[in-house]
Amino acid sequence: MPAISFDGALAVPGASIVDGLCRAAWLLQEQFIPPELSRQLAAECVQSMLSGKMKGAGVGSGHAPLLQPDIRGDHIAWLEGGRSSACDSYLKHMEALRQTLNRELFLGLEEYESHFALYAPGAFYRAHLDRFRDDDKRTVSVVLYLNDDWLPEHGGALRLYPDGGPSVDIAPEAGRMAMFLSGEMLHEVLPTARERLSIAGWFRRRG
């Protein structure tokens, strides 16, 4: 199916975050975090790569996911509280979102895990689901983008494959947040022509 490029405030016009997730299984919101926080997180992501703290991302669950560059080419560094003031501020935003989702949708989300993701030029991630076959804890996926001045020719879009509809391309522009159901939304990252920065995360429920 042809992709629909998205450029708007919300994927579901007039909907709240909760309404959009219920009606379309995905949504997008602009300026989910303040621009200055986005810049701070972007700088931290790049510094993590330069300092060797980022590792090639693997495929699959478990303690030693397999490195398969023909499927996935990003480098990652996991986030945790106390890493930096910028990360702490971001995690507070996500905790507020977790509480909202639980209050409005009764999802039973108990925790949030996330990592920086850096895609070097040429890197991509082929179509996949975020929920593992042997672990159903991941419930809602959230991706926050950290890239200023992103242009269409840079590529690197997140391509979603909603059930029963055409695919949707989301450009990874700074401050933009995409959210979707982890076990239902097939998605991929298209090849990028410039360094692409993001935070990928998952709200998890009890198994």
Side-chain angles (χ1 to χ4, degrees):
M1 294 181 181
I4 297 176
S5 295
F6 180 85
D7 187 13
L10 280 174
V12 182
S16 69
I17 287 179
V18 170
D19 290 339
L21 196 61
C22 286
R23 290 162 56 185
W26 70 277
L27 60 80
L28 186 147
Q29 187 173 13
E30 305 285 8
Q31 297 303 320
F32 180 70
I33 61 173
E36 180 57 29
L37 178 56
S38 178
R39 286 190 286 270
Q40 292 172 358
L41 291 167
E44 187 169 343
C45 181
V46 171
Q47 183 56 40
S48 294
M49 187 67 171
L50 294 175
S51 64
K53 294 180 180 178
M54 280 191 154
K55 306 298 181 184
V59 176
S61 60
H63 296 293
L66 297 176
L67 295 178
Q68 294 187 257
D70 58 327
I71 296 177
R72 180 179 186 180
D74 57 324
H75 285 71
I76 66 172
W78 291 93
L79 272 65
E80 57 185 19
R83 176 189 174 108
S84 69
S85 60
C87 283
D88 286 348
S89 180
Y90 169 71
L91 292 174
K92 287 180 181 178
H93 279 80
M94 303 314 293
E95 174 59 18
L97 179 56
R98 185 189 70 83
Q99 293 180 17
T100 297
L101 292 171
N102 278 344
R103 182 174 62 251
E104 301 294 334
L105 296 178
F106 308 101
L107 292 177
L109 305 174
E110 293 196 341
E111 60 182 1
Y112 174 71
E113 62 177 1
S114 60
H115 60 63
F116 283 121
L118 187 151
Y119 288 76
F124 56 87
Y125 194 167
R126 300 213 181 276
H128 63 283
L129 293 174
D130 281 348
R131 180 178 290 175
F132 300 121
R133 294 179 181 177
D134 59 350
D135 185 344
D136 66 353
K137 296 184 182 68
R138 286 182 176 179
T139 304
V140 178
S141 299
V142 183
V143 188
L144 175 71
Y145 297 107
L146 307 173
N147 309 284
D148 286 326
D149 304 318
W150 197 269
L151 300 174
E153 56 264 34
H154 295 149
L158 171 68
R159 176 166 290 177
L160 303 177
Y161 295 94
D163 187 28
S167 60
V168 179
D169 285 356
I170 298 172
E173 298 178 4
R176 180 174 278 181
M177 183 270 285
M179 183 164 64
F180 50 89
L181 298 180
S182 303
E184 299 181 18
M185 185 60 66
L186 189 70
H187 61 286
E188 64 178 313
V189 176
L190 302 182
T192 182
R194 58 169 273 199
E195 195 170 70
R196 178 188 188 276
L197 313 176
S198 65
I199 298 176
W202 305 271
F203 289 110
R204 292 160 50 92
R205 65 185 180 188
R206 180 176 298 173

